[in-house]
Amino acid sequence: MGKGDSLCRLQGSAQPPELAQDGDLVIGGIFSFRTGQNYVINTFQAIPEARKCINFNFREFKFAHTMIFAINEINRNPSMLPNVKLGYKIYDNCGTMDILRAALALVSGLKGEVNDDNCTKTETVQAILGHSGSRPTIAFAQVVGRFHIPVISHFATCACLSNRKEYPTFFRTIPSDYYQSRALAKLVKHFGWTWIGALAVNNKYGLNGIATFIQAAQEYGVCVEYSEAFSSSDPPDSLQRIIEIIKHATSKVIMAFMSHREIKLLAKELYKQNITGLQWVGSDAWITDHSLTDSEGHSILVGSLGFTVNKAQIPGLEEHLRQLHPSQFPDSQFVRDFWEDVFDCTLNDTENTQRKLCSGFESLQNVESQFTDVSELRFTNNVYKSVYAVAHAIDNLMKCEEGKGPFSNDSCADTKHIQPWQVLQYLNTVNFTTKEGERVYFDSNGDSPARYELVNLQMTNKGTMEGVTVGIYDASLPESHQFIKNNIPIVWGNGLTKEVPVSVCSESCLPGTRKVLQKGKPVCCYNCIPCAAGEISNLTDSIHCMKCPPEYWSNKQRGACIPKAIEFLAYDEILGTLLALFSLLGVFLTMITTLVFYGHRETPLVRANNSELSFLLLFSLTLCFLCSLTFIGRPSEWSCMLRHTAFGITFVLCISCVLGKTIVVLMAFRATLPGSNVMKWFGPAQQRLSVLGFTLIQVLICILWLTINPPFPFKNVLLYKDRILLECNLGSAVGFWAVLGYIGLLALLCFVIAFLARMLPDNFNEAKFITFSMLIFCAVWITFIPAYVSSPGKFTVAVEIFAIVASSYGLLFCIFLPKCFIILFRPEQNTKKHIMGKTSNSDIR
């Protein structure tokens, strides 16, 4: 070669594509028509050979022919890429290493040497479509990205591929697993499954997907009992370890983020060990895979739920698929193998095989197979959209107006020498609508909008398992409207259609209880503790109990706050009834005594004991008994003011009368002494004035009390937690104790005077009885003070009533009972002579 000539030599030999068509611009494709391969350990002592792939994957083969169909459709469309013919190179490889080998072949081409003389046309494809798997796509997208060649996947959902730094040229027509994982987490929460197991395929697709799912699930309050990963290429004991975990787990819902290979192995082993009743939630990699129907133990998966891309219709695709014939691709070994498998014949008459020789009249027109089935085009439609995305990008590139281009100085690309990096530039801004009305575009990470159908695996009448759409999910809608369920009933993993499986670590805490986490366990494992008295929880699974307002208390179920029972001393309770009866009995006895005295008002005994003060005393005692009734019943403003003031005034009136009688007795005795003129200073007028004066002082105290700070009804919520004590607040404690103090002062004065007159002649005076009555009165009220202060609630009122009634009875019985006895049963002693007799006898002695 001459000096300055450049030479590029291909290292090794490039593998030719399985399916190819020449064109002005070529699009590459990588699919795995066979998904299995024999397990081989490379020693790397020699260059590894391409591994032999086994098993058929008709879905992948359909993907490839959908790509061919779309390219042919675009070539026939005069409005798109006029005068440009698109070609394709489609590789069939399995295993990450061989898929990477195919990607490099699409980048470098097949020429052994390239120099300035033979470099008339680039061998590099404008874009690469594929792969279906995330793991192989991750492997080659990084390498291809260094050459600025676009990679568009229809099925690789790993969220890691959205990283523009690592995968700068990657696009996909399927939503990222980030959205799928969050949608699955929301689905699990929607059905109330808060305790689940998580399984993933041990690669970036599975691990990243399940990690995003777990993170989202925890945000929704879902707990994961276990999270395990395995791969179909792992040793058998790895699968057995997973089976044992499932067998001993308490969760009944399993999230499986894996491919169809792993789920088949899992279902087969669970079926063998008769482990049933599980509710599966699957990723889109296997939930609609038709090959599951033919796998052993697929009945284990009936009832599975999962999200997958929307179904679509591609007009003309079925006809294209049914027109396939080996003659169209004479160099494709897979097409021949496929044909022989479908028609159970051989195309090579030299091979020693038990199959009959193909007649040449075989046709797919009447063959029903997974390859020709277009009833449920989901990921196939993604392939279709991928081809059109590349075509629209190239079309926009070729229709660029100079001065409005995306390149430097607003220039456009040279349409005669289009480079992949230029197509990449236009792919970022591609935006079109398919014939079905679906809008196709890519965000800044190369991702498509997240729209899914919720699929439920159900058994058909034919005995096959198929995915039935039971709802939709659209991440572009507001969060509360993203999940929409249709009216098709869901078949659950337990075989029922109405009863949703339950998978919780702990049953929901009913209203009236709160959740307390179990030590060392996830937040979904908890105990339900009843709310304390006075606290409620009116929601299911409440973590806190709320305190009721001061005037409310919790009901027995602790589920609602109800108004506290209002407590006061009422007439309809035993204590109130008894006190009222004793008060009324006192009134009755006082009235009887009054009638007895009135009927014998002219007798010496009544006249000798100052009948006017006696009647006034009986009247005041009646008022004392009656005023105790104002303490019973619901306190109100008027009753609170009346009860204490009436009590204070009537008792002062009563004590004033007793004091007057005591002074009269003392003065009357002093008046019998020779030369004494004391009675003229304490006659009837003075007696009335003394009673009136003493009473007016109490009236003045009560008026000041009621004016400055009167008693008022008060709801005491502090004394009892579960009820309100309705009581009369004293208003001014000084006023209350001033009233009591004044009564006590008069009672003490009366007691002292009566005590001084106790030795007067018995037949003449009642000083001894007044002394006893005042002794009882003072004892009752001295005892009242500590009892009043220490008694709780309504018993404070009861103590006060008891003190009023007891002291009133003491005055009534001690002063009037002896006289009534003489009047009624000893009339012979009710004479002036008898009354004056003892005095005369004492004078004689």
Side-chain angles (χ1 to χ4, degrees), residues 18 225 281 288 421 431 434 441 513 531 582 690 835:
E18 186 72 29
E225 183 180 11
V281 178
T288 56
W421 64 270
N431 194 330
T434 65
Y441 64 94
T513 61
C531 291
F582 278 114
S690 65
I835 294 171

Side-chain angles (χ1 to χ4, degrees), residues 518-530:
Q518 296 178 5
K519 190 175 181 180
K521 291 189 176 182
V523 294
C524 298
C525 301
Y526 48 81
N527 296 319
C528 297
I529 306 298

Side-chain angles (χ1 to χ4, degrees), residues 25 118 150 188 304 324 390 476 478 484 516 528 570 596 697 738 742 761 840:
L25 298 173
N118 66 358
V188 167
S304 299
L324 174 65
V390 175
S476 64
I484 303 171
V516 176
C528 297
V596 171
I697 294 173
Y742 183 64
S840 301

Side-chain angles (χ1 to χ4, degrees), residues 340-371:
E340 290 177 350
D341 181 77
V342 170
F343 296 104
D344 195 24
C345 64
T346 178
L347 293 170
N348 191 349
D349 56 356
T350 61
E351 287 186 2
N352 186 13
T353 177
Q354 296 180 352
R355 286 178 174 175
K356 62 181 180 180
L357 188 64
C358 295
S359 64
F361 295 102
E362 291 83 7
S363 173
L364 294 175
Q365 291 296 333
N366 299 317
V367 173
E368 298 298 329
S369 71
Q370 187 182 343
F371 175 74

Side-chain angles (χ1 to χ4, degrees), residues 634-650:
R634 188 184 185 93
S636 61
E637 288 188 16
W638 70 266
S639 67
C640 286
M641 291 188 290
L642 177 64
R643 64 172 59 172
H644 289 105
T645 53
F647 151 69
I649 293 170
T650 55

Side-chain angles (χ1 to χ4, degrees), residues 604-610 661-673 678-679 757-770 819 822 829-840 842-843:
L605 185 61
V606 176
R607 290 172 62 86
N609 286 279
N610 195 328
K661 287 175 69 66
T662 307
I663 294 174
V664 168
V665 171
L666 187 61
M667 294 301 169
F669 182 75
R670 294 296 180 188
T672 62
L673 297 178
V678 71
M679 282 303 294
R758 73 188 186 284
M759 299 306 294
L760 296 177
D762 292 339
N763 287 5
F764 178 77
N765 69 82
E766 53 188 344
K768 184 186 295 184
F769 299 121
I770 292 175
K819 296 174 180 59
I822 292 172
Q829 296 180 8
N830 189 7
T831 62
K832 186 174 182 181
K833 181 180 179 180
H834 179 77
I835 294 171
M836 299 301 293
K838 191 166 185 178
T839 305
S840 301
S842 62
D843 290 341

